[in-house]
Amino acid sequence: MKTEFYMKILIFAGFLGSGKTTVLLQVARHLMRHSREMVIIENEIGEIGIDGQYLDLHGLKVQELFGGCVCCTLSVGLIETINRICSHGSPDWIVLEATGIARPIDITRHLHRLETKVDSVHVITVVDAGRYEMLMEAMTPLITSQVESADTIIINKTDQATSSKVSQISEDIRHLNAGAAIVTRSVHKNHSLDELLANLMEMDK
Amino acid sequence: MSDQPSVFTYQITLRFRKPISGSVLKAHIEAFLLELSTNLTASGGGIVGHIKGLLDTHDCGHLMFSITSLIEGVQSKGDLSGHIKNAEFRLNVILFKVGTGEIESVCMEMLNAVYSNCDNLIQPDS
């Protein structure tokens, strides 16, 4: 039976090393500043957690899922984890960091099996400006899928590409996903997530 | 290219005879990770994946290391302060185009060389 509260699910997707954990940390701190109850689920493909421990060192509580991917081999584990979290509390947000090889569409299609009502699901895909072309060539189906199923796309590490290259990436992404919000971010411009954070707070009302 | 990357994870407690400064330890780990990345991509084509590490000293801070490109090199986040006696190091190598056996072999060979060449580092089994 579905429990009587609504939660929002935020999924961070994007290829290995694109900067998902860093962006997640920024977003999580923002949600915490606004007194939102949040549980982070960290999915790592390896048998030892690194990102989860990193977030833990920054004072965030993290549930970890190791050794597989929640879009395929660990999909049952993801549903069980969220159900368990919701049986012990009523978080406003579930924040999931997927592995770098996850297809968000394969995660969201499992969410109907949750026992808690889901208010909304928002997918943020982080792409690496410095490696975009190379990865698009080497991993076309995966990167395309991650971009196509996003609500927001963060073009990260823009300091590692020229401004014309970033514009080209933005155009390419717009071609693949006309409906997504696109924001750019670099280590020197953390404030560029302000619009995304404002949108998330709008969802929270 | 395969849909699934090769994955190698390793965790070790580093123990030093004489406490080592945070900046020196950081430089050693960055050099290790850069050499590891270079060795693992020696056949060409660069890194398709991610090599990352986390150093946790418990009382002197922590550092996160990440390398996705030989051109950009190792990116580090976090701070270490003072001199470090013990630290936990976690390594996670996730690569396409390189087999798990090759990753493990290169990593272990390099780690063994570090222990052989660094008198200040106490062997894990001693």
Side-chain angles (χ1 to χ4, degrees), chain B residues 29-101:
Chain B
I29 292 177
E30 285 180 346
F32 175 86
L33 291 175
L34 189 59
E35 188 182 341
L36 175 65
S37 308
T38 306
N39 291 343
L40 286 173
T41 56
S43 56
I47 301 170
V48 182
H50 193 195
I51 297 171
K52 58 185 171 179
L54 182 67
L55 182 83
D56 182 9
T57 68
H58 303 295
D59 47 4
C60 295
H62 65 269
L63 284 173
M64 174 82 126
F65 302 91
S66 170
I67 180 162
T68 56
S69 149
L70 293 176
I71 297 163
E72 295 297 333
V74 181
Q75 312 289 311
S76 310
K77 281 184 293 189
D79 287 302
L80 295 181
S81 59
H83 283 68
I84 294 137
K85 180 98 174 123
N86 301 298
E88 183 187 291
F89 183 65
R90 294 179 178 198
L91 174 68
N92 205 335
V93 181
I94 310 166
L95 291 178
F96 290 87
K97 302 197 299 179
V98 187
T100 305

Side-chain angles (χ1 to χ4, degrees), chain A residues 194-205:
Chain A
D194 288 353
E195 194 181 328
L196 164 67
L197 297 173
N199 288 343
L200 293 177
M201 296 322 293
E202 269 304 306
M203 283 172 61
D204 211 24
K205 283 181 180 168

Side-chain angles (χ1 to χ4, degrees), chain A residues 37-65:
Chain A
E37 194 178 324
M38 168 192 57
V39 176
I40 297 170
I41 301 174
E42 189 65 48
N43 178 209
E44 296 202 50
I45 198 166
E47 296 291 344
I48 298 172
I50 287 189
D51 297 334
Q53 195 194 9
Y54 179 72
L55 294 172
D56 182 66
L57 288 165
H58 283 82
L60 296 172
K61 285 182 185 168
V62 180
Q63 304 268 324
E64 294 178 296
L65 285 166

Side-chain angles (χ1 to χ4, degrees), chain A residues 150-161:
Chain A
D151 299 296
T152 298
I153 295 155
I154 298 174
I155 304 174
N156 197 25
K157 306 187 189 181
T158 54
D159 50 303
Q160 293 178 14

Side-chain angles (χ1 to χ4, degrees), chain A residues 4 12 15 19 25 31 34 55 67 78 95 98 100 109 119 142-143 147 154 156 158 185 192 194 199 201 204:
Chain A
E4 289 305 310
F12 283 87
F15 192 68
L25 181 60
L31 292 174
H34 288 80
L55 294 172
L78 173 66
V95 179
R109 70 186 172 88
D119 188 24
L142 175 61
I143 306 298
V147 167
I154 298 174
N156 197 25
T158 54
R185 180 187 180 279
S192 59
D194 288 353
N199 288 343
M201 296 322 293
D204 211 24

Side-chain angles (χ1 to χ4, degrees), chain A residues 15-177:
Chain A
F15 192 68
L16 301 158
S18 56
K20 295 184 292 297
T21 309
T22 305
V23 176
L24 186 154
L25 181 60
Q26 198 177 343
V27 170
R29 282 175 165 160
H30 185 83
L31 292 174
M32 283 172 73
R33 274 198 299 274
H34 288 80
S35 305
R36 296 298 182 264
E37 194 178 324
M38 168 192 57
V39 176
I40 297 170
I41 301 174
E42 189 65 48
N43 178 209
E44 296 202 50
I45 198 166
E47 296 291 344
I48 298 172
I50 287 189
D51 297 334
Q53 195 194 9
Y54 179 72
L55 294 172
D56 182 66
L57 288 165
H58 283 82
L60 296 172
K61 285 182 185 168
V62 180
Q63 304 268 324
E64 294 178 296
L65 285 166
F66 299 126
C69 188
V70 293
C71 82
C72 47
T73 55
L74 291 181
S75 64
V76 173
L78 173 66
I79 299 302
E80 286 174 353
T81 300
I82 298 178
N83 284 339
R84 192 175 58 246
I85 289 165
C86 295
S87 70
H88 291 97
S90 48
D92 302 303
W93 290 85
I94 296 282
V95 179
L96 167 68
E97 181 177 349
T99 71
I101 57 166
R103 290 172 163 82
I105 190 80
D106 290 336
I107 300 172
T108 53
R109 70 186 172 88
H110 294 298
L111 297 179
H112 70 278
R113 289 152 49 197
L114 288 172
E115 290 169 1
T116 303
K117 290 174 181 170
V118 177
D119 188 24
S120 58
V121 178
H122 192 91
V123 176
I124 297 175
T125 292
V126 183
V127 302
D128 178 342
R131 292 184 297 160
Y132 182 81
E133 269 187 324
M134 182 274 282
L135 292 175
M136 242 329 173
E137 192 173 323
M139 312 291 302
T140 313
L142 175 61
I143 306 298
T144 302
S145 172
Q146 290 177 339
V147 167
E148 283 177 340
S149 50
D151 299 296
T152 298
I153 295 155
I154 298 174
I155 304 174
N156 197 25
K157 306 187 189 181
T158 54
D159 50 303
Q160 293 178 14
T162 62
S163 57
S164 66
K165 186 66 75 185
V166 173
S167 300
Q168 202 179 315
I169 293 168
S170 186
E171 267 180 45
D172 193 40
I173 285 172
R174 177 60 67 221
H175 180 69
L176 290 170
N177 186 342

Side-chain angles (χ1 to χ4, degrees), chain B residues 14-28:
Chain B
L14 303 172
R15 294 182 298 138
F16 299 96
R17 288 186 174 83
K18 274 173 51 186
I20 183 170
S21 87
S23 58
V24 171
L25 182 55
K26 180 184 177 193
H28 279 308

